[in-house]
Amino acid sequence: MGTSGGRVLLVDRSGRGHAYAELFSRTRPDATVFYAPGCSAITTERVVSVPHLSLSDPLPLVEFARREEVDFVFVANAVALTGGFVDVFREHGIPVIGPDRAASRLEASKSYTKDLCRHYGVRVAEYAWFDDPEEARGYVRAVPYAVVVKAEGLCGGNGSFVCDTAEDAVRAIDTLMVERRLHGREISFFTLLDGRGGHLHLPLALDYPKSDDANRGVTCGGMGAISPHPLEDARLLEEYEDRILAPLKECIRGEGLRYTGVVYVGSMLTDEGPYLLEVNVRLGDPEAEAVLPRVESDFFGVCRAVLDGTLADHPSLRVSDLYTCVVTLAQGRTRHLSRGRNKGWYVGWPYGRYGKGYPITGIERVDPARCRVFLGEAEVHPEKGLVSDGGRVVHVVGLGATRREAVENAYANVGHVHFEGMRYRSDIGRVLPWTEPALSAGT
Ligand code: GLY
């Protein structure tokens, strides 16, 4: 791969994937990024989407990687990771970054992860597991604290119910985990691991997991993000390293898990420091869209260090001083038409069913000096051009020398983009996703 050129197969289909593709090509301009399945609207000279490949079958990706003689594969998507794509690439002798299927259980099974974390001394909230909903209901009525009820398995960020009362919790219970509700401020840490004990931190971000303004509505995969995180400082990173990352790495080593790539630690910052809430085996979405535009180091070089197991010797990432603010444009409420007949309404993402195929206009009007645009679930239709194709369609990322400027740039440019049913939060970066109502919009 050397210091110039380079060919990577990036496996994802989301705004996060687009942000990775942009990072690879920005920091190594003569490299080629094959983005699979990607989004057919993203095809530049250096970023080539491969829409005929899919996240359900790794073997065509293996053939593609061989035919195109890629240097390595970077698997960024949770479905592909938990589906064992990394194992398949490895079996075929193709260098790959990402946790294998066994290591991806850290995201796929909350019970497995919480039990391991407790065993290895990672700081986690008290919790209990139930197969029997009746037992779980009895438990939440008995404990003297508020709880969070969590579904087992991959939930795309939709699997947690934060409950104020026992009756809220009783309603949320089905086949679930019950965890003591911690009060504090949420903070997400993203750390690259090389599988040999070395690590490198990516910038931190703050996610907005609620669907509606003022942090109302339902918990979803995220409606926006900002970076840097307003609470980050060197002491917090030290605490994270000591109380969470070091025992988590020991857990990965002790359990013999093969983990390379990003570990995403969702945590709650309490008066006693950070507690681990959950582990995800990939970068967050839309946090990636806030974090990756700030990275300036050659990301191919970083990946080479991951593959060689030499991250411990790698200098820290170069990160720009820019602030970022991601506003996610989601597919909201639209009419449900079938063969020209009105069948009522789609409620829209993330509340329930949503329509697809609505033309997206105005992206070319977004100011590239002040914003990035990352396409998520969008596609090219042969007649209509760029259309919506899922829940989180487009992410507009404002850049600025201050948070205020990043927020203003994001919202000024969101106004150029349109598709039927488009909805977004109007307060990303203006409020915090916890109890205090307002965020100082200065630096
Ligand atoms: N934004 C939350 C997640 O990616 O899981």
Side-chain angles (χ1 to χ4, degrees):
M1 185 164 71
T3 54
S4 62
R7 293 161 79 80
V8 59
L9 173 59
L10 167 66
V11 180
D12 203 359
R13 179 182 186 266
S14 65
R16 170 188 52 219
H18 193 180
Y20 268 125
E22 194 270 345
L23 172 63
F24 275 119
S25 58
R26 174 169 48 82
T27 59
R28 182 73 76 90
D30 53 354
T32 302
V33 183
F34 297 102
Y35 177 31
C39 165
S40 45
I42 305 168
T43 297
T44 67
E45 208 183 318
R46 293 289 172 198
V47 180
V48 182
S49 280
V50 200
H52 68 272
L53 298 175
S54 87
L55 296 173
S56 53
D57 182 2
L59 286 176
L61 286 153
V62 168
E63 277 167 34
F64 181 88
R66 281 207 172 128
R67 195 168 58 246
E68 293 296 335
E69 299 182 347
V70 301
D71 295 295
F72 64 94
V73 180
F74 191 102
V75 184
N77 179 279
V79 172
L81 290 165
T82 53
F85 278 34
V86 167
D87 312 56
V88 176
F89 284 114
R90 228 171 242 148
E91 280 156 22
H92 288 81
I94 296 171
V96 57
I97 295 178
D100 67 7
R101 187 198 295 266
S104 297
R105 268 189 86 198
L106 291 170
E107 173 159 354
S109 170
K110 292 186 178 67
S111 54
Y112 166 77
T113 306
K114 278 282 159 76
D115 290 347
L116 278 185
C117 284
R118 188 150 65 180
H119 179 74
Y120 283 91
V122 181
R123 196 151 64 170
V124 293
E126 287 169 49
Y127 67 93
W129 281 100
F130 300 93
D131 292 330
D132 175 359
E134 216 26 68
E135 267 181 47
R137 289 189 189 99
Y139 178 84
V140 299
R141 288 193 174 108
V143 290
Y145 43 74
V147 299
V148 179
V149 176
K150 292 188 168 180
E152 178 72 330
L154 287 187
C155 302
N158 301 343
S160 288
F161 303 87
V162 179
C163 304
D164 289 318
T165 65
E167 286 319 305
D168 285 350
V170 165
R171 277 192 290 276
I173 286 169
D174 196 0
T175 47
L176 302 157
M177 180 187 91
V178 178
E179 181 183 78
R180 180 174 191 159
R181 181 175 171 185
L182 293 172
H183 293 273
R185 292 135 186 231
E186 288 187 24
I187 186 158
S188 311
F189 298 94
F190 308 111
T191 306
L192 258 173
L193 304 179
D194 67 5
R196 305 254 181 95
H199 71 260
L200 209 54
H201 296 301
L202 290 163
L204 280 73
L206 177 62
D207 184 26
Y208 285 75
K210 287 290 190 178
S211 57
D212 296 8
D213 276 0
N215 304 313
R216 297 185 207 280
V218 299
T219 304
C220 65
M223 288 296 289
I226 56 173
S227 183
H229 192 291
L231 301 179
E232 72 179 75
D233 60 25
R235 201 177 64 87
L236 176 64
L237 212 55
E238 264 171 42
E239 269 190 298
Y240 160 65
E241 289 197 350
D242 291 350
R243 305 304 299 256
I244 295 181
L245 184 62
L248 185 61
K249 278 167 54 176
E250 183 49 30
C251 159
I252 289 169
R253 197 196 60 74
E255 296 300 305
L257 300 175
R258 294 187 77 181
Y259 200 125
T260 60
V262 175
V263 63
Y264 158 169
V265 173
S267 72
M268 183 65 84
L269 187 56
T270 70
D271 293 342
E272 298 148 44
Y275 277 73
L276 180 142
L277 294 178
E278 63 179 24
V279 174
N280 293 308
V281 295
R282 38 76 205 178
L283 195 41
D285 183 13
E287 295 97 313
E289 293 91 308
V291 160
L292 298 181
R294 299 185 57 221
V295 175
E296 292 180 335
S297 303
D298 167 12
F299 203 61
F300 265 86
V302 171
C303 288
R304 173 45 68 201
V306 171
L307 291 163
D308 292 345
T310 56
L311 269 188
D313 305 325
H314 197 282
S316 304
L317 286 185
R318 269 198 325 281
V319 174
S320 88
D321 292 335
L322 279 179
Y323 285 70
T324 53
C325 170
V326 183
V327 179
T328 295
L329 310 182
Q331 182 60 67
R333 190 167 185 266
T334 51
R335 265 195 194 287
H336 180 184
L337 298 171
S338 178
R339 298 202 183 103
R341 294 183 57 185
N342 185 0
K343 311 271 268 188
W345 291 88
Y346 287 119
V347 288
W349 187 90
Y351 315 106
R353 293 182 65 203
Y354 48 84
K356 288 184 182 180
Y358 305 109
I360 303 168
T361 56
I363 287 189
E364 69 291 348
R365 296 185 59 209
V366 172
D367 178 355
R370 294 184 167 81
C371 282
R372 301 275 174 276
V373 176
F374 296 122
L375 298 178
E377 291 171 291
E379 265 316 321
V380 176
H381 182 276
E383 281 119 46
K384 299 188 215 166
L386 185 65
V387 295
S388 63
D389 193 42
R392 286 184 293 178
V393 180
V394 178
H395 306 264
V396 176
V397 186
L399 313 172
T402 62
R403 181 173 304 113
R404 181 194 297 273
E405 203 175 281
V407 171
E408 280 170 5
N409 284 337
Y411 281 105
N413 283 277
V414 158
H416 296 312
V417 183
H418 175 77
F419 51 91
E420 194 177 330
M422 177 176 115
R423 65 171 291 277
Y424 57 90
R425 277 183 63 161
S426 66
D427 58 0
I428 305 296
R430 292 174 170 148
V431 297
L432 290 163
W434 47 78
T435 43
E436 298 94 338
L439 179 64
S440 157
T443 58

